[in-house]
C-alpha cells in the first residue's frame, strides 16, 4: 500500500504564515468548510436505486440505513486515484479498530461495462475486508451518482480504449441516512479519521 510523505516546515516565519493560510483555507474552502448546499448529496432515505454487491446480493439505499456509511465512486481499471483512496480507506478502518465493524463501506463503480460482479469481487479483495464493491446497470449507476451529486464521464484514450473521470471524494453518511460530510482526495489521516468518527457518533434520528 502506498503511503504519503509528510511535508516538513521551512523557516519559522514562513511556517507561521503558511499555518495562517492553511487555517483560512481549512475553514473556508478546505475540508473544514461547509459543502455548498447545491453540491451536498441528498439523504440516503431519499434515494432510489438497485445495484448488486460483489457477492451477488441485491442492494439499494435501504441496505445502508441503520449504520454509518462511507462511500466512494471509482472503477477497477483506475490507474491511481482509486487504489490510492481505497488504500487510504483501508488505513482509516485499521485506525478505527472494532469501530470499523459498525460501518457500511462501499466502493461504487462508474464503469459497469467492465466492472462485473466477479471483477469487483477480485478488486476489493486487495483492500480492507469491510469494503464492499457495488455494480449494476448503467442507468442505476447514474441514479446513484445523481443522488450523491457525484460526477463521472467516459474519456477515450489514444489507444482506442477509454478511461473514466470521476468524483474523488469519500462521502460520509450518518446511520439515519443523513449526509454528514466528505473526505477530500489525499486528505491527511489526522483530519479524515475524526470526520469518520463524527459520522459514527451521529444520532440515528433526524434524517432529511
Amino acid at each position: 500500500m502506498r503511503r504519503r510523505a509528510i511535508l516538513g516546515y521551512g523557516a519559522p516565519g514562513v511556517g507561521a504564515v503558511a499555518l495562517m493560510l492553511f487555517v483560512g483555507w481549512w475553514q473556508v474552502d478546505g475540508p473544514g468548510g461547509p459543502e455548498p448546499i447545491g453540491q451536498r448529496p441528498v439523504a440516503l432515505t431519499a434515494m432510489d436505486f438497485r445495484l448488486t454487491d460483489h457477492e451477488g446480493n441485491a442492494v439499494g439505499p435501504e441496505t445502508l440505513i441503520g449504520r454509518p456509511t462511507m462511500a466512494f465512486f471509482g472503477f477497477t481499471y483506475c490507474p491511481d486515484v482509486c487504489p490510492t483512496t481505497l488504500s487510504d480507506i483501508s488505513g482509516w478502518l485499521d485506525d478505527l479498530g472494532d469501530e470499523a465493524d459498525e460501518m457500511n463501506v462501499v466502493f461504487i463503480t462508474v464503469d459497469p461495462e467492465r466492472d462485473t460482479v466477479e471483477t469487483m469481487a477480485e478488486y476489493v479483495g486487495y483492500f480492507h475486508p469491510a469494503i464492499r464493491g457495488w455494480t449494476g446497470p448503467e442507468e442505476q449507476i447514474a441514479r446513484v451518482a445523481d443522488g450523491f451529486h457525484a460526477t463521472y464521464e467516459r474519456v477515450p484514450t489514444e489507444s482506442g480504449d477509454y478511461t473514466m473521470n470521476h468524483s474523488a471524494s469519500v462521502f460520509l453518511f450518518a446511520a439515519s441516512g443523513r449526509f454528514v460530510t466528505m473526505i477530500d482526495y489525499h486528505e491527511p489521516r489526522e483530519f479524515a479519521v475524526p470526520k469518520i468518527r463524527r459520522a459514527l457518533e451521529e444520532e440515528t434520528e433526524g434524517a432529511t
Side-chain angles (χ1 to χ4, degrees), residues 74-96:
F75 62 114
T76 65
Y77 283 73
C78 181
D80 44 35
V81 173
C82 301
T84 297
T85 299
L86 290 170
S87 294
D88 287 343
I89 290 173
S90 296
W92 303 338
L93 293 170
D94 285 340
D95 284 354
L96 290 172

Side-chain angles (χ1 to χ4, degrees), residues 100-116:
D101 296 334
E102 302 173 19
M103 296 199 74
N104 300 305
V105 187
V106 294
F107 171 57
I108 305 170
T109 185
V110 295
D111 185 17
E113 180 178 326
R114 294 184 293 195
D115 289 344
T116 63

Side-chain angles (χ1 to χ4, degrees), residues 27-201:
Q27 295 177 337
V28 178
D29 296 318
E35 294 81 12
I37 295 295
Q39 297 177 15
R40 294 179 183 175
V42 301
L44 293 171
T45 50
M47 296 188 197
D48 182 17
F49 60 83
R50 290 293 174 266
L51 298 177
T52 304
D53 72 12
H54 70 269
E55 294 182 336
N57 302 305
V59 292
E62 70 282 353
T63 307
L64 305 175
I65 304 299
R67 303 201 316 175
T69 293
M70 178 161 40
F72 173 67
F73 289 83
F75 62 114
T76 65
Y77 283 73
C78 181
D80 44 35
V81 173
C82 301
T84 297
T85 299
L86 290 170
S87 294
D88 287 343
I89 290 173
S90 296
W92 303 338
L93 293 170
D94 285 340
D95 284 354
L96 290 172
D98 291 341
E99 289 182 283
D101 296 334
E102 302 173 19
M103 296 199 74
N104 300 305
V105 187
V106 294
F107 171 57
I108 305 170
T109 185
V110 295
D111 185 17
E113 180 178 326
R114 294 184 293 195
D115 289 344
T116 63
V117 170
E118 294 77 13
T119 300
M120 292 293 277
E122 179 181 0
Y123 191 73
V124 297
Y126 293 114
F127 304 100
H128 194 284
I131 299 173
R132 313 289 296 174
W134 286 13
T135 188
E138 175 59 42
E139 66 273 13
Q140 293 298 317
I141 297 294
R143 290 174 71 95
V144 183
D146 184 60
F148 277 78
H149 288 182
T151 60
Y152 65 97
E153 63 175 339
R154 181 167 170 158
V155 180
T157 61
E158 293 181 357
S159 67
D161 203 349
Y162 69 92
T163 186
M164 302 294 296
N165 287 342
H166 59 90
S167 299
S169 295
V170 175
F171 299 85
L172 291 171
F173 292 82
S176 63
R178 187 182 70 82
F179 172 66
V180 176
T181 190
M182 289 189 288
I183 301 173
D184 292 335
Y185 178 56
H186 269 331
E187 187 164 335
R189 181 179 302 216
E190 57 267 31
F191 300 138
V193 173
K195 285 185 174 183
I196 300 170
R197 292 191 189 282
R198 177 178 156 198
L200 283 164
E201 293 167 0

